[in-house]
Amino acid sequence: MLKTVPVSSNRKTGPIAVTYRSGQCSTYGTCPKSCQLHPAPDTGASEIDPDYLAAVLAAVPRGGVAWTYTHFPAESVPVSKPGETVLNVSCDTMDAAVNVWSAGRPAVVAAPAGTEWAGGVEYKGVRFVQCPAELSESFTCAQCGNGRPLCARRDRDYVIVFVAHGPMAGKVGRDTAGGCYASSGPTAIQWHKTRTAGAANDAAELGRFARSLPPGSMLRHHVAGDIGRE
Ligand code: SF4
């Protein structure tokens, strides 16, 4: 199920185009069972949805940029080509992020709450940079990178860090399941609505949506949700 939003009111993304994706039976149905942040892994996906993945890679607004994140294992997802949506691999540890980055894939990592990252750090020869929208309440993806948001840069020479926040943040970086930032608050409300009111043919709806956006638009795919098949 896919919900499309031409101009988001999300505090962090700013006024760009976004989507939410859920399963039909479970809101978390498109997220991989293997995701450590998944609060109910049994309801997650075992495999990637190839039709939706192809639609995501192709869904870039004319003259614009598109990006997203996946918690599926890095080796199971393609490396985005120039002109495609940039598919960031979400990692749970800095070591995993180093491995993903070293294999030529754009990587992001979730850091435990309270970690101090301002200014960035170097770890095992790789630079780690915190998302600038976490460092200022008034900064959003719409302003990031002067029109080329950091997460939409496929060849960047650094890993982007997201420090855990929200009510479930205490679970990030632990061995217990859970910690997903979208499990509460306004994002959760939007996401849960997707399951009942979103478009059932998500691949077709995504293509239509991307084509409808003004030239030069920014599109962040699934603020919540992933590329799995429920
Ligand atoms: S690094 Fe930039 S593009 Fe990525 S989430 Fe943060 S503000 Fe948005």
Side-chain angles (χ1 to χ4, degrees):
M1 309 292 281
L2 193 79
K3 175 185 170 89
T4 58
V5 183
V7 183
S8 174
S9 56
N10 183 286
R11 202 299 289 162
K12 188 172 175 190
T13 64
I16 64 172
V18 303
T19 67
Y20 294 77
R21 186 172 188 244
S22 77
Q24 287 186 315
C25 300
S26 163
T27 303
Y28 277 88
T30 66
C31 300
K33 289 179 187 290
S34 56
C35 177
Q36 287 197 359
L37 306 179
H38 200 311
D42 288 349
T43 65
S46 302
E47 59 187 8
I48 291 172
D49 179 335
D51 294 338
Y52 180 71
L53 173 59
V56 166
L57 292 172
V60 180
R62 192 156 45 93
V65 294
W67 72 96
T68 192
Y69 314 85
T70 182
H71 279 91
F72 276 90
E75 60 275 13
S76 66
V77 301
V79 179
S80 305
K81 298 184 181 72
E84 291 183 335
T85 290
V86 174
L87 195 51
N88 291 277
V89 177
S90 295
C91 303
D92 297 319
T93 65
M94 292 174 71
D95 284 315
V98 167
N99 290 339
V100 167
W101 182 86
S102 300
R105 297 167 187 272
V108 303
V109 64
T115 311
E116 290 292 340
W117 286 93
V121 298
E122 189 168 313
Y123 178 72
K124 295 192 173 178
V126 180
R127 199 153 61 99
F128 284 71
V129 173
Q130 186 174 0
C131 162
E134 294 186 345
L135 301 173
S136 166
E137 279 294 310
S138 60
F139 192 91
T140 68
C141 299
Q143 299 152 282
C144 186
N146 292 321
R148 286 187 61 224
L150 304 188
C151 292
R153 300 182 183 194
R154 58 187 288 278
D155 294 326
R156 61 179 185 259
D157 62 355
Y158 48 86
V159 170
I160 296 173
V161 179
F162 297 111
V163 176
H165 60 278
M168 309 308 286
K171 294 193 171 187
V172 174
R174 306 269 169 82
D175 284 341
T176 50
C180 172
Y181 80 99
S183 59
S184 63
T187 303
I189 294 169
Q190 293 288 338
W191 197 18
H192 288 309
K193 274 189 202 161
T194 305
R195 190 170 61 77
T196 51
N201 189 335
D202 41 20
E205 173 64 5
L206 182 57
R208 182 207 64 74
F209 180 57
R211 288 190 296 274
S212 75
L213 294 171
S217 293
M218 295 179 187
L219 170 56
R220 186 207 153 152
H221 296 284
H222 36 261
V223 169
D226 209 312
I227 56 175
R229 175 156 56 193
E230 185 176 48

